[in-house]
Amino acid sequence: NAGVMQNPRHLVRRRGQEARLRCSPMKGHSHVYWYRQLPEEGLKFMVYLQKENIIDESGMPKERFSAEFPKEGPSILRIQQVVRGDSAAYFCASSLSGSGTGELFFGEGSRLTVL
Amino acid sequence: QQQVKQSPQSLIVQKGGIPIINCAYENTAFDYFPWYQQFPGKGPALLIAIRPDVSEKKEGRFTISFNKSAKQFSLHIMDSQPGDSATYFCAAKITGGYNKLIFGAGTRLAVHP
């Protein structure tokens, strides 16, 4: 499967635990975007990364959330000390280039439930 | 704040009908307007997209109409089928730079047989 791969697809955490969501972009893509989708809402931009660099994190909450895209391996979205309001679907998207077309390819999402 | 407003929130049509979904934006600094289709439990998939120098674009049964002066664009689905039942999102890309998309809130479409 050459698409964007996300795991886990479903994750249950208790309040105060950590959640780690992983994203492997499409083959050949080095640009990764994370979006959050709350129930019955649209997708909200969180962060844009290139390999080893955070380019735009304007949509990331200032605390508890972090993202990385190392030289080797998948991109990771990390949520520390989760709260119930973090329950959402988190989508990763990738693009071939960093500019121009606007064409993002999305994964199937990771659905986080915080008890 | 850059926003894309989408309506209606939900839509029900009969098979063969032509659902129309509308979007409006408030910031002129957008240069690309894609529509995404999302089935339950799946990620959004690009359906069709348009640039502001074009007033209409057709791909199969899907048509985007774009009104630059009114800052509005819409999606029409011709001869709709039950398999078109999904949530549709309009989006806008900020001019220049990278592929950051601002999404509308989505329209849940149900096409009844």
Side-chain angles (χ1 to χ4, degrees):
Chain A
N1 188 340
V4 177
M5 302 301 293
Q6 290 189 247
N7 68 83
R9 293 292 313 278
H10 299 275
L11 183 63
V12 179
R13 286 287 179 264
R14 297 192 179 279
R15 282 180 296 170
Q17 293 183 320
E18 179 179 288
R20 284 191 178 224
L21 311 178
R22 289 176 291 278
C23 169
S24 296
M26 283 183 71
K27 189 175 181 180
H29 289 192
S30 59
H31 303 267
V32 166
Y33 310 75
W34 284 92
Y35 283 79
R36 177 164 61 177
Q37 185 176 35
L38 294 171
E40 308 301 322
E41 293 189 15
L43 295 102
K44 303 295 185 186
F45 171 81
M46 298 183 75
V47 61
Y48 162 51
L49 310 102
Q50 294 179 25
K51 282 286 187 180
E52 301 185 274
N53 290 302
I54 297 174
I55 306 301
D56 181 347
E57 55 181 350
S58 59
M60 288 274 274
K62 295 288 184 251
E63 298 178 350
R64 303 187 297 108
F65 284 71
S66 62
E68 63 177 11
F69 189 16
K71 186 177 181 180
E72 301 292 336
S75 175
I76 307 285
L77 179 66
R78 181 184 179 203
I79 311 171
Q80 296 177 288
Q81 301 175 341
V82 296
V83 301
R84 289 216 173 103
D86 297 334
S87 295
Y90 292 84
F91 289 95
C92 169
S94 72
S95 65
L96 179 61
S97 76
S99 64
T101 67
E103 185 163 6
L104 300 184
F105 296 86
F106 281 85
E108 297 203 329
S110 292
R111 282 152 183 84
L112 172 65
T113 300
V114 179
L115 302 178
Chain B
Q1 184 178 356
Q2 296 148 339
Q3 278 191 324
V4 177
K5 294 185 177 179
Q6 184 172 347
S7 62
Q9 191 174 20
S10 63
L11 189 54
I12 300 173
V13 299
Q14 294 297 124
K15 178 182 174 183
I18 306 175
I20 301 173
I21 304 170
N22 300 298
C23 286
Y25 59 99
E26 300 180 341
N27 186 307
T28 57
F30 294 133
D31 63 0
Y32 176 76
F33 300 88
W35 285 86
Y36 281 79
Q37 180 187 56
Q38 184 180 30
F39 292 104
K42 301 294 185 181
L46 180 64
L47 189 62
I48 185 173
I50 197 168
R51 296 196 182 278
D53 54 349
V54 176
S55 61
E56 185 176 278
K57 183 175 181 180
K58 285 185 181 180
E59 286 187 4
R61 295 184 294 106
F62 300 92
T63 299
I64 300 178
S65 297
F66 187 84
N67 186 328
K68 189 174 181 178
S69 61
K71 299 181 186 177
Q72 295 175 346
F73 56 110
S74 60
L75 176 69
H76 297 62
I77 306 176
M78 309 300 289
D79 187 27
S80 59
Q81 302 296 314
D84 296 330
S85 298
T87 300
Y88 292 83
F89 294 96
C90 63
K93 174 190 159 298
I94 297 171
T95 298
Y98 47 87
N99 296 324
K100 179 178 179 177
L101 296 180
I102 309 299
F103 282 85
T107 296
R108 184 177 292 180
L109 172 66
V111 181
H112 290 176

